[in-house]
Amino acid sequence: MVDYKNKIILAPMVRIGTLPMRLLALRYGADIVYSEELIDWKFLRSKRRYNEILKTVDFVDQTDGTIVFRTNVEEKEKVVLQLGTSDAERALKVAKMVETDVAAIDINMGCPKEFSIKGGMGVALLEQSDKAQHLLTTLVNNLSIPVTCKIRILETPEATLRLVEKFINSGIKAIAIHGRTRYERPQHFVNTDAIKYVSSRVSIPVIANGGSKEIEKYSDIMKFKELTGCSSVMLARAAEWNCSIFRKEGLLPIDTVIKDYLKLAIEFDNSPANTKYCIQNILRDLQETPRGRRFLDCQTLEQISAIWELDGYCKEKQQLYQTLGISGRWQVNPDDLQPPNKKLKLENDNINDVEQMKVCFIRANFTHSTLPKSELHSWAGKNGHKLPMYETQQVQKLFRTILTFNGKKYTSSFWEKNKKFAEQGAALVCLFYLGLKTKDDLIMLGSIINK
């Protein structure tokens, strides 16, 4: 059972708290790490799969093959899955799915964003305390792992204490308190006195949150702990900006942190988009430097790695994973995500006469160049050909387009997430067969994997 006393914790952060960042925090000295907030209905459409190649447990969205949650044995006893939910039954279903893979479950009652509030989640639960208590009690009574919640302070310390005591009666093992109200944002001062008022009057560990503005080094964490009188401290932005904040020995240079993070992102096949987002939040103002601007133009993991001289390592790992037959977004196929679809199989039988390549379309790589469809249409017009025709197939959230041009058909065997991208991917295949795009062009665009 995870112990919440006297701990330094990585807070839940959307798009930041994925596996590479959580492992980096642990290796730098964090005691407990929280996942990013994961919404119950999205989790419920996923399926658990053990990844033999990465040695991870993956929960895979069955509608498009993306990873909803990835974890491994290194963090198993220290990772807390934070759930966004407004329904006890759905929350319990999700918790049961991950019960053997995580150390604890946390219910998000602190997010003030409109998306959460409209869904009855986050701080909306604080205004429905009976419902929130029932949710927590349901989990506590049916799980073998600890249950916690994360809240914001109310208008008065007394009101906050009453709410916390009510939640404690459900049997939770700890509670994290962000020292701002639902209407306050990071520019507002954190109310350490309100947190202290509660922490000095309850029996379970209270985790103080919201102090990143004043935390620049490890010793500041201890000051925040003392100011709030809390058992433990949870860090969000301070850890997002420099994860080595958890090191008692002191902060590491930004480049060292990025390299350490990148190695983990490569090793665990993290998505390029998520990797880029995390590094952007480390670089902050440095994105405006020449190197920062080069980084912003990157779209593939290999391109990002090259900025920090890890492209060789990245290429080696990716080639190894491809050789071993890794199953990731690149390998997603509708047949793997659902029961056999007779209509799809029939359509597959009818594409034997279609020129196929595995090509994906990355929109951001065409910021300064003509889109594939526009390039193809322009070439067709200049050479007196009829414009190509596009026929798109959809299976759940996946799309594939068959392009007909000059009596021939072209398609990409990479299933895109929307119709427009599927059309652009098919156009890239056509441009390749017409000799208007080379293999090297497609590699530079991140559209094919260079094996």
Side-chain angles (χ1 to χ4, degrees):
M1 300 288 279
V2 62
D3 181 6
Y4 291 92
K5 295 177 182 176
N6 296 312
K7 297 295 188 290
I8 309 298
I9 302 168
L10 177 70
M13 291 178 283
V14 174
R15 297 182 68 189
I16 297 291
T18 46
L19 181 60
M21 191 63 76
R22 297 196 307 265
L23 291 179
L24 186 64
L26 288 173
R27 293 180 186 184
Y28 281 159
D31 300 302
I32 299 171
V33 290
Y34 279 53
S35 75
E36 60 179 330
E37 179 194 20
L38 298 167
I39 307 303
D40 54 9
W41 55 262
K42 185 173 183 180
F43 217 110
L44 287 172
R45 71 184 188 212
S46 71
K47 185 176 181 181
R48 185 185 188 276
R49 180 183 68 197
Y50 183 72
N51 190 321
E52 292 282 356
I53 296 168
L54 301 179
K55 307 302 179 189
T56 58
V57 172
D58 298 344
F59 287 84
V60 185
D61 188 325
Q62 291 299 282
T63 64
D64 61 13
T66 54
I67 303 298
V68 176
F69 177 62
R70 170 170 282 166
T71 185
N72 76 343
V73 68
E74 183 178 343
E75 67 169 5
K76 184 176 180 180
E77 304 301 323
K78 298 177 179 180
V79 63
V80 178
L81 186 138
Q82 191 187 63
L83 193 58
T85 185
S86 61
D87 183 87
E89 185 178 340
R90 287 201 306 269
L92 182 58
K93 284 181 181 178
V94 173
K96 280 295 184 184
M97 288 172 68
V98 300
E99 187 174 14
T100 60
D101 298 310
V102 300
I105 297 290
D106 181 79
I107 301 301
N108 183 354
M109 299 184 188
C111 181
K113 294 184 179 177
E114 188 176 358
F115 168 80
S116 287
I117 295 171
K118 280 186 175 180
M121 303 179 290
V123 293
L125 285 169
L126 301 184
E127 296 180 354
Q128 303 179 69
S129 60
D130 288 344
K131 181 180 181 180
Q133 185 185 37
H134 170 66
L135 199 163
L136 294 172
T137 303
T138 300
L139 295 180
V140 169
N141 290 344
N142 291 280
L143 296 176
S144 61
I145 56 177
V147 176
T148 64
C149 65
K150 183 173 182 290
I151 70 169
R152 284 184 168 238
I153 59 172
L154 301 185
E155 293 304 319
T156 67
E158 293 80 9
T160 307
L161 176 61
R162 286 193 296 271
L163 182 72
V164 170
E165 288 175 333
K166 187 171 186 175
F167 290 167
I168 290 173
N169 289 335
S170 68
I172 58 173
K173 298 298 182 184
I175 188 165
I177 302 179
H178 184 111
R180 295 182 180 88
T181 67
R182 64 175 291 177
Y183 302 107
E184 293 177 324
R185 295 297 179 264
Q187 65 267 26
H188 297 104
F189 286 107
V190 62
N191 190 336
T192 55
D193 290 339
I195 302 176
K196 189 169 187 176
Y197 180 87
V198 176
S199 65
S200 65
R201 288 168 171 80
V202 299
S203 56
I204 65 171
V206 173
I207 305 165
N209 180 228
S212 286
K213 202 173 178 182
E214 290 78 33
I215 295 175
E216 297 180 352
K217 53 187 180 299
Y218 187 86
S219 60
D220 294 335
I221 302 174
M222 297 300 108
K223 290 178 184 176
F224 187 63
K225 184 174 185 285
E226 185 178 345
L227 279 172
T228 59
C230 280
S231 176
S232 299
V233 173
M234 176 181 279
L235 301 179
R237 283 180 172 79
E240 174 185 318
W241 297 330
N242 189 329
C243 198
S244 68
I245 191 75
F246 293 108
R247 296 179 77 250
K248 293 179 181 178
E249 303 86 353
L251 290 170
L252 293 170
I254 289 296
D255 280 341
T256 301
V257 173
I258 292 175
K259 283 185 176 181
D260 288 347
Y261 168 76
L262 257 178
K263 286 176 184 175
L264 287 166
I266 292 165
E267 288 167 13
F268 289 99
D269 196 35
N270 201 50
S271 80
N274 180 254
T275 300
K276 183 175 182 178
Y277 180 79
C278 290
I279 293 175
Q280 281 182 273
N281 282 278
I282 298 172
L283 286 174
R284 300 167 72 196
D285 293 344
L286 294 175
Q287 292 177 75
E288 299 304 317
T289 64
R291 184 176 65 164
R293 287 192 288 271
R294 278 194 293 125
F295 160 74
L296 291 176
D297 287 335
C298 295
Q299 295 303 320
T300 68
L301 204 53
E302 189 174 336
Q303 289 170 348
I304 295 169
S305 300
I307 303 291
W308 284 274
E309 300 178 341
L310 287 170
D311 47 322
Y313 181 68
C314 180
K315 186 175 181 180
E316 178 187 327
K317 279 289 185 183
Q318 289 189 331
Q319 288 178 342
L320 173 63
Y321 292 159
Q322 290 296 318
T323 301
L324 294 173
I326 195 168
S327 180
R329 180 70 188 93
W330 190 257
Q331 290 76 28
V332 170
N333 185 294
D335 282 336
D336 300 327
L337 301 180
Q338 58 179 26
N341 184 304
K342 291 182 181 179
K343 183 180 178 183
L344 178 64
K345 286 181 180 280
L346 181 63
E347 289 169 342
N348 282 337
D349 290 339
N350 292 334
I351 65 168
N352 292 329
D353 60 340
V354 180
E355 299 287 1
Q356 298 184 59
M357 283 182 70
K358 200 157 200 172
V359 172
C360 70
F361 171 71
I362 301 176
R363 177 64 181 87
N365 280 354
F366 290 88
T367 303
H368 304 296
S369 59
T370 307
L371 292 174
K373 280 181 67 176
S374 299
E375 182 178 347
L376 178 58
H377 289 201
S378 175
W379 187 86
K382 289 177 181 177
N383 290 277
H385 301 296
K386 290 183 179 179
L387 293 181
M389 302 291 290
Y390 298 85
E391 179 189 352
T392 301
Q393 303 165 354
Q394 178 181 358
V395 180
Q396 290 198 35
K397 290 188 174 182
L398 299 176
F399 297 81
R400 174 179 67 184
T401 293
I402 296 176
L403 181 157
T404 302
F405 182 62
N406 275 354
K408 292 186 177 181
K409 296 183 177 182
Y410 306 88
T411 191
S412 171
S413 56
F414 179 85
W415 287 75
E416 295 280 3
K417 289 187 178 183
N418 64 57
K419 180 182 177 182
K420 289 182 179 179
F421 281 21
E423 290 177 348
Q424 297 288 1
L428 277 172
V429 175
C430 184
L431 290 170
F432 173 81
Y433 278 99
L434 291 174
L436 302 176
K437 282 278 186 285
T438 67
K439 181 180 178 182
D440 286 342
D441 291 334
L442 296 177
I443 291 171
M444 285 295 293
L445 291 168
S447 295
I448 64 174
I449 291 178
N450 183 22
K451 295 183 179 180

